[in-house]
Amino acid sequence: APEVQFIVKLFQNDLKQMRAEGKSLHEIRYLFLQNLKTVRGIYTLHKINPLSVFLSPLLQIPCFYYVATDLRKIVNGSDPALAQELTESDFFYLTDLTDPDPWYGLPVAAGAMLYFNVEVAIGKKSLSGPTASKSDFAVLLKDFFQTLAVFMPCFASQSPAGLQIYLVSSFTWTFF
């Protein structure tokens, strides 16, 4: 990250200077492509794929979709035996896992765990280091996901309690 940020800082300085001198768009484009080539070289040298950050969330989305869709099917009666079992099952204060949490404890816990996961992954004490956590893209991602976490209770509050338990346990596992 420090090497890439150094190259980006050099590019920004060169770009300011070129604009001040009135250089053509073609020359500015050439400078951009050269810097992009240098950054790619740094990534290749260190065997880094910058898109690997998205691998974990992209793998989790199909699993979440599958669980959410199947739970909805169960609740709607596609599997009556399992639906009956979920209706009769209880978990702490929840007496029916097909109904939403009446006290909103699970949706709030899901939002809090998502917020803390983002803080650990992209926060000031990021797993990628302090330099990476200060980049504009990291700040944008952090703001987006923490905003999503604040609204998570609204999104999850009408979901069945079984799905809410899945969310809280998944976010807790990810946190640790």
Side-chain angles (χ1 to χ4, degrees), residues 7 11 25-41:
I7 298 298
F11 170 71
L25 188 60
H26 179 69
E27 291 172 309
I28 293 174
R29 182 177 175 270
Y30 179 76
L31 173 69
F32 174 75
L33 292 175
Q34 289 303 315
N35 280 286
L36 188 62
K37 192 184 218 182
T38 305
V39 170
R40 283 185 191 153

Side-chain angles (χ1 to χ4, degrees), residues 103-174:
W103 300 102
Y104 302 102
L106 290 171
V108 169
M113 289 309 298
L114 178 58
Y115 187 89
F116 293 132
N117 280 331
V118 172
E119 186 63 35
V120 167
I122 311 176
K124 291 179 183 173
K125 296 184 178 181
S126 171
L127 298 175
S128 305
T131 311
S133 66
K134 292 179 184 174
S135 74
D136 292 338
F137 185 67
V139 170
L140 182 68
L141 272 179
K142 179 182 176 191
D143 290 346
F144 173 76
F145 283 111
Q146 285 186 330
T147 302
L148 179 68
V150 168
F151 290 103
M152 175 62 80
C154 300
F155 301 141
S157 66
Q158 297 306 311
S159 298
L163 181 60
Q164 295 173 2
I165 292 168
Y166 164 75
L167 283 173
V168 172
S169 62
S170 177
F171 290 149
T172 304
W173 177 258
T174 303

Side-chain angles (χ1 to χ4, degrees), residues 67-86:
V67 169
T69 303
D70 277 1
L71 193 56
R72 290 266 181 213
K73 287 178 186 176
I74 291 169
V75 169
N76 292 333
S78 294
D79 188 349
L82 188 55
Q84 183 66 29
E85 190 176 321
L86 285 173

